[in-house]
């Protein structure tokens, strides 16, 4: 803290941490000197400033990820570099910042699948936080003489992948709407875009592999791992894919259990809940 700030008579009015949370990662998967974890393992979460709120409502900033990075830097100062936050911690931090800034209740609309009635539902975000699991990325996959080790993607990798996929989806949309292209040209362009999306999905999966051990050798070279993934048979590929899916499912949000408010219905159903930065902080 600089001298001007420490001597400011208004300092007692500055925002203070509103809640404290334990990260699903437990602070693992962060590079050295990028996170400061207190002795009790609980990270302080500050409410958003007015500037934070403005930034989160700027579409361009949301698109390139800078708004989210700035939000983490402002509200979770114990994390020194927001771009290295592992995927398993991101939803927890979003939820914690939302609670710290607006309280634990969040209004949402749901539609009963039985009677089709649209209802307002007050979601307690504290119950959402309780559903976050702690995936164990130390679980290796053993196939014959192969040992495959994994890691969570970080926010920078997730942001770049999402941006590239958005660009390809936009390309597909523009192609289908182009009046100056023949049907054959449209199909060709769409095929190329879909191929790129598939490649990006594969690349994201490959990045989740930290290393591969075989016959006393440990392979960490990204090019060699990518070549391995490109040339293995579908059975081995499926085992790797299923293993990664199993790890990630432990950190995903569980569906909400909701009861229809209509007396004549009362149907109990599960409602998926996903975090969408475009409206989560509204």
């Amino acid at each position: 803290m600089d001298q001007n700030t420490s001597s400011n008579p208004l300092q007692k009015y500055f925002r203070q941490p509103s809640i404290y949370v334990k990260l699903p990662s437990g602070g693992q998967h962060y590079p050295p000197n990028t996170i400061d974890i207190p002795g009790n393992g609980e990270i302080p979460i500050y409410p958003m400033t007015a500037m934070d709120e403005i930034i989160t409502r700027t579409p361009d900033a949301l698109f390139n990820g800078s708004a989210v990075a700035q939000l983490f830097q402002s509200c979770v100062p114990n994390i020194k570099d927001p771009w290295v936050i592992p995927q398993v911690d991101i939803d927890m931090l979003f939820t914690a910042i939302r609670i710290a800034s607006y309280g634990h209740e969040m209004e949402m609309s749901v539609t009963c699948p039985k009677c089709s009635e649209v209802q307002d539902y007050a979601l307690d975000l504290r119950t959402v936080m309780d559903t976050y699991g702690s995936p164990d990325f130390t679980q290796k996959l053993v196939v014959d003489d192969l040992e495959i080790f994994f890691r969570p993607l970080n926010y920078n990798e997730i942001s770049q992948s999402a941006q590239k996929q958005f660009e390809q989806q936009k390309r597909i949309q523009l192609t289908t709407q182009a009046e100056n292209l023949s049907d054959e040209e449209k199909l060709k362009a769409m095929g190329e875009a879909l191929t790129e999306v598939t490649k990006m999905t594969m690349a994201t999966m490959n990045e989740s592999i930290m290393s591969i051990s075989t016959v006393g050798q440990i392979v960490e070279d990204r090019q060699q791992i990518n070549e391995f993934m490109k040339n293995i048979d579908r059975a081995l590929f499926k085992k790797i894919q299923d293993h990664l899916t199993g790890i990630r499912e432990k950190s995903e949000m569980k569906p909400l259990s909701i009861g229809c408010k209509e007396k004549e219905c009362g149907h109990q159903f599960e409602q998926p809940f996903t975090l969408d930065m475009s409206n989560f902080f509204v």
Side-chain angles (χ1 to χ4, degrees):
M1 185 177 294
D2 60 46
Q3 185 175 357
N4 291 335
T5 300
S6 61
S7 61
N8 190 337
L10 301 177
Q11 184 180 350
K12 64 180 181 180
Y13 299 103
F14 291 1
R15 59 183 177 151
Q16 298 295 319
S18 294
I19 62 172
Y20 295 80
V21 299
K22 289 188 175 181
L23 300 175
S25 71
Q28 298 179 1
H29 312 295
Y30 286 81
N33 304 316
T34 58
I35 185 171
D36 179 17
I37 300 183
N40 63 359
E42 296 186 344
I43 301 291
I45 307 295
Y46 288 74
M48 292 193 297
T49 65
M51 183 61 69
D52 293 334
E53 191 171 47
I54 292 172
I55 291 174
T56 58
R57 298 180 183 182
T58 305
D60 289 344
L62 290 175
F63 176 69
N64 64 28
S66 64
V68 176
Q70 290 182 53
L71 181 67
F72 286 147
Q73 204 157 34
S74 171
C75 299
V76 197
N78 283 55
I79 297 177
K80 310 305 179 185
D81 182 358
W83 294 103
V84 303
I85 296 174
Q87 184 177 20
V88 296
D89 288 345
I90 291 175
D91 285 348
M92 167 69 85
L93 291 172
F94 276 151
T95 308
I97 293 171
R98 177 63 162 75
I99 293 174
S101 303
Y102 300 111
H104 60 83
E105 282 198 353
M106 177 178 173
E107 295 293 329
M108 59 182 294
S109 294
V110 298
T111 303
C112 175
K114 184 177 181 180
C115 68
S116 301
E117 184 73 18
V118 179
Q119 304 165 10
D120 291 329
Y121 178 76
L123 173 63
D124 189 337
L125 291 174
R126 294 173 298 185
T127 62
V128 172
M129 292 183 69
D130 290 340
T131 68
Y132 291 119
S134 301
D136 184 7
F137 276 87
T138 65
Q139 296 179 22
K140 63 184 178 181
L141 174 64
V142 180
V143 183
D144 298 328
D145 60 352
L146 287 174
E147 291 184 336
I148 305 174
F149 300 85
F150 302 89
R151 69 174 182 89
L153 299 179
N154 60 40
Y155 180 64
N156 183 51
E157 292 165 333
I158 294 169
S159 179
Q160 288 186 0
S161 177
Q163 185 172 345
K164 289 177 182 177
Q165 290 198 29
F166 176 83
E167 290 170 353
Q168 291 302 323
Q169 290 168 358
K170 191 68 176 177
R171 177 183 172 188
I172 292 173
Q173 181 182 3
L174 292 174
T175 298
T176 57
Q177 296 174 351
E179 297 180 356
N180 61 327
L181 296 178
S182 66
D183 290 343
E184 183 178 346
E185 290 172 324
K186 287 183 180 181
L187 286 174
K188 181 181 178 182
M190 287 177 61
E192 291 173 350
L194 289 172
T195 298
E196 287 301 313
V197 171
T198 302
K199 287 181 179 179
M200 286 186 290
T201 302
M202 287 279 294
T204 299
M205 181 176 169
N206 295 357
E207 287 295 324
S208 297
I209 297 176
M210 183 170 61
S211 64
I212 302 175
S213 175
T214 177
V215 197
Q217 291 184 308
I218 299 178
V219 178
E220 297 178 330
D221 183 84
R222 297 313 315 170
Q223 185 174 347
Q224 291 179 342
I225 291 175
N226 292 342
E227 186 179 15
F228 163 80
M229 291 294 290
K230 185 178 180 180
N231 289 283
I232 59 177
D233 62 43
R234 62 170 301 279
L236 178 53
F237 182 89
K238 185 70 163 53
K239 288 180 180 179
I240 296 172
Q241 187 178 45
D242 290 345
H243 185 85
L244 264 174
T245 300
I247 293 176
R248 289 171 177 161
E249 282 179 349
K250 294 181 181 179
S251 65
E252 292 178 351
M253 286 187 180
K254 306 298 185 293
L256 306 174
S257 180
I258 297 177
C260 181
K261 296 180 181 179
E262 287 296 311
K263 293 182 179 180
E264 297 181 359
C265 180
H267 179 64
Q268 291 286 332
F269 60 96
E270 289 191 340
Q271 174 72 30
F273 178 74
T274 56
L275 294 181
D276 183 353
M277 272 292 291
S278 63
N279 57 34
F280 189 60
F281 293 103
V282 174

